[in-house]
Amino acid sequence: MKPPVRIPDSPEQSSWLSDLQRLVPWPVLVGAVGIVLLVGLAILLILLPEGRPAPTPTALPGAGPSLPSPFPTPTPCDPYTDLLEAMQRLISSVNYEAAADLGWKTLEDPSRPGCPESRMEVARLAYEAEIEAMFARPGDGAPLIDRWTRAEQRADRFGLPPSKRRPPLAIAQRAFHERRWELARHAFLKAWAQGAFRTCEPQVSQFYYELLWQGGAQKARNPQTQLQGIRWLLLARDLNQICQLGRREADRELGRLGPLPSPQPSSEPDPYVEAARGR
C-alpha cells in the first residue's frame, strides 16, 4: 500500500505561520488570543446597557413646559405650646384681660401660622378669658353689651363653633344673678331670636318676668332711671297677663311708686312680648 499523499501547504500560509511561530511559541499565542477575547467580551457586557442612548420622550401636542418636581415641602405649623401654657397661667392668676389680649393678638399675627387644632384652643381660651374679663368689670349697659358683642365677633372670625362658647341664655342667667339687668335682657332676647326657646314657654317666661320686674324696680328707685324702670315694670305686667304667669310683683311695685308721671308712660317695645301678644 502506498503511503497517503500529503497535500503541501500553500506558499502564503506556510510563510506567515512559520514566521509567527518562530517569533511566539504556539501555546503562548493561543493563550494570549483567548485572554484578549474574554476581556473584550466582559467589557462589552459591562458597557452595553450604559452605552444605549436613553429614549427621547415624545412631547404631546399642545403640552406646556413640565412642572417643577418635587413639590416644595410644607412648612410645619406652630403648636402654640408655650402660648397655651402662658394663657393658662394668666387665667389661673385671674388676669383675664392679659390672657384674652395675648390670645387674640397671636391669632391676628400672620407671622405665626399655628396648627388648626392649636388655633382653635387659643381662640377658645381667649373667648373664655374675654367673657370672664367682661364680668370682672363693674357696670352694666352698653359698654358691657358691646364687649360681649366683640367677643362673639372675634369668635366668629377665628372659627370658634357655638358649641365651644357661652350660650346667650347662660350669659343672661349669670348677668341676672349679678344684677346686670341690661346685659341680661339683651342676652335673653338674643337667645330667643336664635330659637333657643318658644314664646311664652313657662320656665323662660317666668325668668324674663323676674328680670323685668326686679330690674324695673331697681331702676324705678333711682331718679335718673325712674322712667325706664316704670316702663320695665309695665312690660312685666303685660307679659304676666299675656302668658298667664299668675304673678303680682310688678303690680305691687307700681302701686308703691304712687301716681305715675303724666303723661303716663307706656311699656317700651319688646320683641318677645310683642310676639307673645300676637300668638
Side-chain angles (χ1 to χ4, degrees):
M1 178 182 294
K2 294 181 179 181
V5 179
R6 181 177 178 272
I7 300 175
D9 295 329
S10 65
E12 295 83 1
Q13 179 182 8
S14 177
S15 173
W16 71 266
L17 282 178
S18 299
D19 294 341
L20 185 62
Q21 287 177 350
R22 284 195 300 269
L23 294 174
V24 181
W26 183 256
V28 175
L29 179 62
V30 172
V33 172
I35 292 172
V36 170
L37 291 175
L38 289 175
V39 171
L41 180 61
I43 291 174
L44 285 176
L45 291 176
I46 293 173
L47 297 181
L48 185 59
E50 297 181 0
R52 293 177 182 173
T56 303
T58 304
L60 296 177
S66 59
L67 295 175
S69 182
F71 293 105
T73 304
T75 304
C77 58
D78 188 346
Y80 287 157
T81 304
D82 295 339
L83 170 66
L84 290 169
E85 291 177 356
M87 292 180 68
Q88 290 284 11
R89 286 195 299 270
L90 290 170
I91 292 172
S92 299
S93 61
V94 199
N95 197 345
Y96 301 121
E97 295 276 2
D101 188 59
L102 177 61
W104 296 133
K105 284 185 176 179
T106 302
L107 292 175
E108 292 169 355
D109 185 358
S111 67
R112 294 195 64 182
C115 302
E117 62 274 12
S118 301
R119 290 181 64 86
M120 188 66 65
E121 182 62 12
V122 170
R124 187 189 69 81
L125 288 178
Y127 174 84
E128 288 292 331
E130 188 81 45
I131 297 299
E132 292 302 324
M134 176 184 73
F135 280 110
R137 284 179 171 267
D140 190 16
L144 218 59
I145 294 172
D146 290 345
R147 180 151 193 179
W148 181 43
T149 302
R150 286 196 303 270
E152 293 295 327
Q153 290 173 344
R154 279 174 161 169
D156 289 337
R157 177 181 173 187
F158 296 113
L160 187 66
S163 60
K164 295 183 180 293
R165 308 186 206 177
R166 307 280 183 94
L169 190 57
I171 297 291
Q173 291 171 332
R174 180 169 176 180
F176 171 84
H177 289 298
E178 295 187 11
R179 306 177 75 82
R180 302 171 191 254
W181 312 115
E182 299 279 354
L183 176 61
R185 184 182 177 193
H186 178 83
F188 176 89
L189 292 175
K190 182 175 182 179
W192 172 73
Q194 291 179 349
F197 46 84
R198 298 186 305 274
T199 305
C200 273
E201 193 171 319
Q203 187 174 1
V204 293
S205 295
Q206 291 283 359
F207 170 77
Y208 196 37
Y209 175 87
E210 286 280 345
L211 192 164
L212 289 172
W213 92 257
Q214 289 194 33
Q218 181 175 325
K219 289 175 178 293
R221 293 168 192 154
N222 184 340
Q224 295 180 347
T225 58
Q226 184 181 51
L227 184 59
Q228 185 187 26
I230 292 172
R231 287 174 174 167
W232 280 38
L233 290 169
L234 293 171
L235 198 57
R237 186 179 65 182
D238 292 347
L239 180 64
N240 176 60
Q241 293 171 353
I242 295 168
C243 295
Q244 300 179 354
L245 302 178
R247 305 291 293 268
R248 300 285 300 170
E249 295 90 347
D251 294 279
R252 287 196 292 267
E253 190 64 32
L254 287 168
R256 279 196 290 268
L257 291 173
L260 296 177
S262 182
Q264 182 174 336
S266 60
S267 60
E268 62 184 46
D270 184 279
Y272 183 80
V273 175
E274 292 303 317
R277 199 190 306 275
R279 286 188 309 148

